[in-house]
Amino acid sequence: MEGLDLERLKTEGRSRESALQAASLAVSSATGDRVFQELTRYLATILGVQLALIGRLTGASPAEIRTLGVYGGGAYGENFVYPLDITPCRNVLQGGFSVVARDVAALYPGDEFLGRMGAVGYAGYPLSDATGRAVGVIAVLSREPVEDAHLFESVLKIFAVRAAAELERRAQEEALAASEANYRAIFEASEDAIFIHDYDSGAILDVNPKACSTYGYSREEMRRLSVGELSGNEPPYTHEEALRLIGEVRAGRGPLRFEWRRRNKDGSLHWDEVTLKKVDIAGRPHVMAMTRQITERKRAVEALKASEEQYRAIFNASADSLVLRDADFRVVDVNPAYEAMSGRRREEALGRDGLTMSPPELNQHVKTLHARALAGEPVMFEALARRKDGSRFNIETRGVPIRHQGRPHVLYIGRDITARKSEEELLRASEEQYRAIFNAAADALVLRDAQARVVDVNPAFLAISGYAREEVINQSRWIFAVGEMAALGGEMHRRVIAGESVRFEIQGRRKDGALLDIEMRAVPIRYRGEPHALGMARDITAQKRAEAERAQLEAQLRQAQKMEAIGQLTGGIAHDFNNILQSILGNLTLAGERAQELQDAKLARYLERAQLSAQRARELIQQMLTFSRGKRGEPRLQSPARLVEEATRLLRPMLPATLELSLDLHEAATVKVDRVQAEQVLLNLCINARDAMEGQGSIRLSVAESSWDGGVCTACRQRFAGRFVELAVRDSGPGIAPDVAERMFEPFFSTKEVGKGSGMGLSMVHGIVHEHAGHVVVDSAPGRGAVFRVLLPVAAGSALAEEKKAASRTRPQLAGRVLVVDDEPMILEFMGDLLAGWGLDVTLKSSGIEAKRAFAADPQRYDLVLTDHTMPRTTGLELARQIRAIRPGIPVILYTGYGEDIVEAELAAAGVRALARKPVEPAELLALLKTHLQQIGNTLT
């Protein structure tokens, strides 16, 4: 080992190829008990570093490294122990080769040793045992940056293989020395191939299983072979050479370590590292050969040599101009591309310390860049260069730091960019045009690259999104997308990059959190030679809102048209039913008078009940007419308790038997309401409760007086105060969610499925209650049922005054001549009987034309005209005008089911003195006849 020339190693280590050769020579030369020390000395010398060490893991916890060899500062160092976690060695044991090119002391402040020695660069390689497990580390420290990491890795790998082999060998030797009894176990289990030779003849006496598996021979076959046969008897690995080496071991010059090429039974050749040493087995001397395959290491060295040759080939074959300069800026090497670009031969450039193509005035600037590159920073500059013949061209030069022959250099890579400059000028003009159009667009534009990173946005995008430009550039997230819309954005981008144009809508979110609807269009474009996607976003929030409002208005219009059609149908039905009721009521009146004359109390009671039912039907028909014409009802003083009680009889058949309906009625003040509309309110609230409970539960109706001060109406949101009568509907249902409570009184709002509700029930409640100057208060919460409180203002007066009817059924007596006109024969016949029974002289006509003809024939014959309004060809109002033209001043009484459509001025202009609503109450008709016949001087009996 001492014979290896270190100065020669230093010289040979100045090139990569030489360094690898020196490494191979060094690891072969390091032998003896101080092999680790020698390996660190050779390693530090070849790589030109200040410290090299080899260490192995100890069994301590946390892990520690115990050095086996240390060389630094030109001398061997004492071995020591250091913790693994605070040093860069931990990365080696965790992940293989590791290099810290610079600032290693700053990166590992816990390792004080790095700071004390002024370490800058670090490289380390793991030592692995036969199973591949990391058991140690070989590392170097340098006061200069590690520039050529590839070279450090290659050299460390060669030394690591040798050091690992030595670790393995020593482990085996220690095991053998520890106990002779364990020899056979170790021999059999060793991962190295072991041969036991006769001490005198050198013949093979025994081999271990590893040797058999490695060479492909059985143990018996091995014993019959000579050493030369294992090497193929090729010089210098002949049988004679093997015997010579065994003789040297016997002479005390062992152990010997060398490399040899062996031949397996299958004829394949491999490289082994062999250790020969003298051992005592069973008290007798033997020679033991331990071999370890190093074929991969050999191949690695050869590959590195090939890599160096490849590097030279690439350097010379590069199309770019390459100039290698040393730390003093002197040209060390140039390639043929430089010669072609500059017009100068290689000999003209070597050794020069100034620029050879760029203008001399750039010398100082480039030398400043050179210093930065030597410190490890890649640099670049552009210049207008001059060839040797004087022609000019644009050159782009990049400088990268490298280590050449162990010293820092800078490799300058030059490229002729004259054509590119021309293209850039054209591109700049195109870019300016693009920028003007891009920025002037009213739509939000966003340009993304193939990886979906934002390359550019226009002012419209920033205005719509609310973001600043620097907040979105280089971002890959979808700026507008909300939730799952991001996945849609990603899919659309992939399709556009693939060449497809897309159009879709998403719900977006501005930076301030405001939601907006976005229409997105994206098209594939090429931007600066690369595929990109240009997205065009348009805020369609207002458009979507308008569309939604239009759809809602259309739905409301359809609903209104449907309601109008229902109203027209209802009006027609009500009008026809009015005629029927007119006859029923009239005949009931006549029958009542007859029963009074006969003094039949039981019959009178029956007729009175029928009369009440017919009057109830009359009110209902009137309500239908009110609904069909959109007119208000006729509020009257009502008893709240009686109103609710009578409404309950109507409600009960509409509710399933599974619903419990109960009443809690207290005496309360009178209210002034339209009975039918009040019943409609209670009906809608109970139906609403029934649907909420899905037919299972209880409904409780109650009446009570209550006083409010500062109450808030749930329907109109207005505050109110005062004394009210409270009609309450309580249910045991699931309650009302707050968001539903906010909108439940809106027209057409419904939580039911499509087709199962019109959304008009509660809105009708709202309209009717507020028409009567009342309010609605709702008390509910999810899971606690609901209470709807209808608050109606207390009215002055008594309901009894209006509820009492004239009990007298005495037939009245009138005098006069009356012309009765109606197109319904049943009503015409009834009117004739009724008026004749009252003592009047009655003339009946079934049309307005006949009535006009009869009146014109004898105008003075009649004292009063009683006519229906709705008749074919001539209406009652037109007949009144015609009669007035013939005889002004004669009283005309008009009765109709559609009287709400006739204004007072039209009635007065036609000479109509009074308007009665069908079906006409006999008592009401009697009062009108008395009044208007008396006005013309007839005598009342």
Side-chain angles (χ1 to χ4, degrees), residues 41-62:
R41 181 166 63 118
Y42 294 155
L43 180 59
T45 303
I46 292 171
L47 291 180
V49 297
Q50 282 65 49
L51 180 72
L53 65 85
I54 298 174
R56 69 183 301 172
L57 280 169
T58 70
S61 179

Side-chain angles (χ1 to χ4, degrees), residues 190-466:
S190 175
E191 288 298 319
D192 287 337
I194 301 177
F195 296 80
I196 305 299
H197 295 271
D198 183 78
Y199 189 73
D200 296 321
S201 67
I204 299 174
L205 299 178
D206 198 5
V207 296
N208 70 343
K210 182 65 176 180
C212 295
S213 63
T214 301
Y215 286 74
Y217 292 98
S218 69
R219 182 172 292 183
E220 289 71 20
E221 289 175 323
M222 286 280 197
R223 290 171 179 168
R224 293 194 296 268
L225 293 174
S226 68
V227 178
E229 288 176 306
L230 289 176
S231 67
N233 275 313
E234 296 180 6
Y237 310 110
T238 62
H239 181 66
E240 290 72 18
E241 176 64 15
L243 292 178
R244 185 188 67 78
L245 293 171
I246 291 174
E248 289 191 16
V249 173
R250 285 167 29 203
R253 287 191 287 275
L256 297 180
R257 293 181 182 85
F258 57 91
E259 296 176 359
W260 80 320
R261 189 173 60 181
R262 63 171 167 84
R263 186 183 301 276
N264 287 355
K265 185 178 181 179
D266 62 6
S268 59
L269 294 174
H270 301 271
W271 283 94
D272 282 345
E273 179 184 74
V274 182
T275 300
L276 287 180
K277 66 181 295 185
K278 178 182 176 181
V279 296
D280 287 332
I281 302 175
R284 293 181 54 199
H286 291 74
V287 175
M288 182 174 68
M290 291 184 297
T291 68
R292 172 168 294 189
Q293 185 172 325
I294 60 170
T295 304
E296 292 301 322
R297 190 180 78 190
K298 283 286 190 180
R299 289 176 179 169
V301 172
E302 292 172 0
L304 289 172
K305 291 180 181 178
S307 176
E308 185 69 24
E309 293 171 357
Q310 186 180 27
Y311 157 76
R312 173 55 59 184
I314 293 172
F315 183 83
N316 289 334
S318 174
D320 291 330
S321 164
L322 301 180
V323 178
L324 185 64
R325 292 180 181 269
D326 63 14
D328 297 324
F329 203 62
R330 289 190 299 267
V331 176
V332 174
D333 200 2
V334 297
N335 71 339
Y338 166 86
E339 295 178 310
M341 184 180 293
S342 67
R344 296 175 176 84
R345 296 192 308 276
R346 184 172 185 271
E347 293 74 16
E348 295 179 78
L350 294 180
R352 293 184 61 174
D353 62 353
L355 295 174
T356 59
M357 288 190 286
S358 298
E361 55 268 24
L362 286 180
N363 262 330
Q364 189 56 45
H365 173 65
V366 176
K367 285 185 177 181
T368 302
L369 296 178
H370 186 74
R372 288 163 54 186
L374 287 172
E377 177 188 351
V379 297
M380 186 184 76
F381 64 92
E382 294 182 7
L384 183 63
R386 185 191 299 273
R387 297 185 179 89
K388 187 176 180 179
D389 62 7
S391 61
R392 294 183 177 273
F393 65 100
N394 294 104
I395 186 172
E396 176 190 80
T397 304
R398 290 178 292 119
V400 294
I402 67 170
R403 290 191 71 82
H404 178 65
Q405 296 182 349
R407 291 189 296 274
H409 287 67
V410 179
L411 179 64
Y412 289 95
I413 307 166
R415 179 170 295 180
D416 185 345
I417 58 171
T418 305
R420 194 185 80 188
K421 281 288 187 181
S422 299
E423 292 175 357
E424 285 178 354
E425 290 298 328
L426 294 174
L427 181 62
R428 185 176 296 110
S430 175
E431 182 82 14
E432 290 173 357
Q433 185 179 20
Y434 152 79
R435 176 59 56 189
I437 297 172
F438 188 80
N439 287 338
D443 288 338
L445 302 182
V446 55
L447 184 66
R448 291 180 181 267
D449 63 16
Q451 288 72 44
R453 289 190 298 266
V454 176
V455 175
D456 201 2
V457 294
N458 69 341
F461 179 94
L462 302 177
I464 292 177
S465 69

Side-chain angles (χ1 to χ4, degrees), residues 506-713:
I506 62 171
Q507 186 177 55
R509 190 189 301 277
R510 289 173 46 86
K511 181 182 179 181
D512 59 10
L515 294 176
L516 66 163
D517 293 301
I518 299 293
E519 178 187 68
M520 288 293 302
R521 288 176 293 125
V523 296
I525 68 170
R526 294 194 69 82
Y527 179 70
R528 296 180 177 176
E530 298 293 332
H532 285 67
L534 178 63
M536 293 160 277
R538 179 171 296 176
D539 184 355
I540 58 170
T541 307
Q543 175 185 335
K544 296 284 281 188
R545 186 183 300 115
E547 290 175 355
E549 290 174 353
R550 183 168 62 252
Q552 184 178 7
L553 288 174
E554 289 175 354
Q556 292 177 355
L557 175 60
R558 287 193 296 271
Q559 184 71 8
Q561 290 171 340
K562 180 173 71 174
M563 298 299 284
E564 182 181 3
I566 293 173
Q568 292 174 351
L569 176 62
T570 302
I573 294 172
H575 178 263
D576 292 341
F577 197 47
N578 249 340
N579 292 330
I580 299 172
L581 278 178
Q582 181 69 72
S583 177
I584 293 172
L585 282 168
N587 284 290
L588 285 172
T589 300
L590 294 176
E593 294 172 353
R594 183 66 174 168
Q596 187 70 25
E597 292 174 359
L598 297 175
Q599 296 184 348
D600 188 338
K602 183 177 291 188
L603 177 61
R605 186 165 63 253
Y606 295 158
L607 292 173
E608 184 178 359
R609 292 175 183 171
Q611 180 80 11
L612 289 174
S613 296
Q615 288 175 349
R616 181 70 186 87
R618 178 181 182 276
E619 292 176 355
L620 182 59
I621 289 302
Q622 189 59 45
Q623 185 64 27
M624 292 171 66
L625 290 171
T626 300
F627 167 76
S628 67
R629 292 304 179 191
K631 301 297 181 178
R632 294 188 177 185
E634 295 183 358
R636 296 178 182 176
L637 293 175
Q638 306 282 351
S639 167
R642 183 175 176 184
L643 179 66
V644 172
E645 190 173 13
E646 291 181 358
T648 304
R649 289 197 289 270
L650 292 174
L651 285 170
R652 183 67 265 184
M654 299 181 183
L655 302 177
T658 52
L659 269 180
E660 179 185 352
L661 181 63
S662 60
L663 300 178
D664 182 16
L665 307 179
H666 298 273
E667 288 299 328
T670 303
V671 292
K672 190 172 185 179
V673 295
D674 181 275
R675 176 183 293 275
V676 177
Q677 286 187 333
E679 290 176 352
Q680 185 68 36
V681 168
L682 294 174
L683 174 65
N684 282 333
L685 292 179
C686 289
I687 295 300
N688 191 61
R690 177 199 68 184
D691 294 343
M693 294 185 292
E694 299 182 351
Q696 298 285 338
S698 62
I699 299 176
R700 186 175 185 82
L701 303 181
S702 63
V703 174
E705 289 190 27
S706 61
S707 296
W708 293 76
D709 184 10
V712 178
C713 178

Side-chain angles (χ1 to χ4, degrees), residues 42-275:
Y42 294 155
L43 180 59
T45 303
I46 292 171
L47 291 180
V49 297
Q50 282 65 49
L51 180 72
L53 65 85
I54 298 174
R56 69 183 301 172
L57 280 169
T58 70
S61 179
E64 295 179 335
I65 295 289
R66 182 182 300 276
T67 63
L68 302 173
V70 180
Y71 184 86
Y76 296 114
E78 293 292 330
N79 285 324
F80 57 92
V81 177
Y82 64 92
L84 181 64
D85 283 343
I86 64 173
T87 73
C89 292
R90 70 184 182 199
N91 297 329
V92 176
L93 292 176
Q94 292 172 355
F97 172 71
S98 178
V99 61
V100 181
R102 52 181 52 80
D103 300 327
V104 66
L107 292 174
Y108 294 88
D111 191 344
E112 298 178 354
F113 177 76
L114 299 176
R116 289 199 304 271
M117 73 162 292
V120 174
Y122 167 89
Y125 201 95
L127 305 181
S128 302
D129 63 11
T131 65
R133 180 174 58 91
V135 296
V137 65
I138 182 169
V140 296
L141 292 173
S142 172
R143 293 193 181 99
E144 297 178 350
V146 176
E147 301 293 344
D148 192 343
H150 184 64
L151 174 63
F152 274 61
E153 180 181 7
S154 302
V155 173
L156 282 171
K157 182 177 181 181
I158 294 171
F159 276 78
V161 172
R162 178 67 180 89
E166 184 63 23
L167 276 178
E168 191 74 10
R169 185 193 64 77
R170 288 197 176 190
Q172 294 171 357
E173 286 182 352
E174 291 169 0
L176 287 170
S179 173
E180 189 71 18
N182 292 332
Y183 156 73
R184 176 53 59 183
I186 297 172
F187 178 77
E188 295 292 334
S190 175
E191 288 298 319
D192 287 337
I194 301 177
F195 296 80
I196 305 299
H197 295 271
D198 183 78
Y199 189 73
D200 296 321
S201 67
I204 299 174
L205 299 178
D206 198 5
V207 296
N208 70 343
K210 182 65 176 180
C212 295
S213 63
T214 301
Y215 286 74
Y217 292 98
S218 69
R219 182 172 292 183
E220 289 71 20
E221 289 175 323
M222 286 280 197
R223 290 171 179 168
R224 293 194 296 268
L225 293 174
S226 68
V227 178
E229 288 176 306
L230 289 176
S231 67
N233 275 313
E234 296 180 6
Y237 310 110
T238 62
H239 181 66
E240 290 72 18
E241 176 64 15
L243 292 178
R244 185 188 67 78
L245 293 171
I246 291 174
E248 289 191 16
V249 173
R250 285 167 29 203
R253 287 191 287 275
L256 297 180
R257 293 181 182 85
F258 57 91
E259 296 176 359
W260 80 320
R261 189 173 60 181
R262 63 171 167 84
R263 186 183 301 276
N264 287 355
K265 185 178 181 179
D266 62 6
S268 59
L269 294 174
H270 301 271
W271 283 94
D272 282 345
E273 179 184 74
V274 182
T275 300

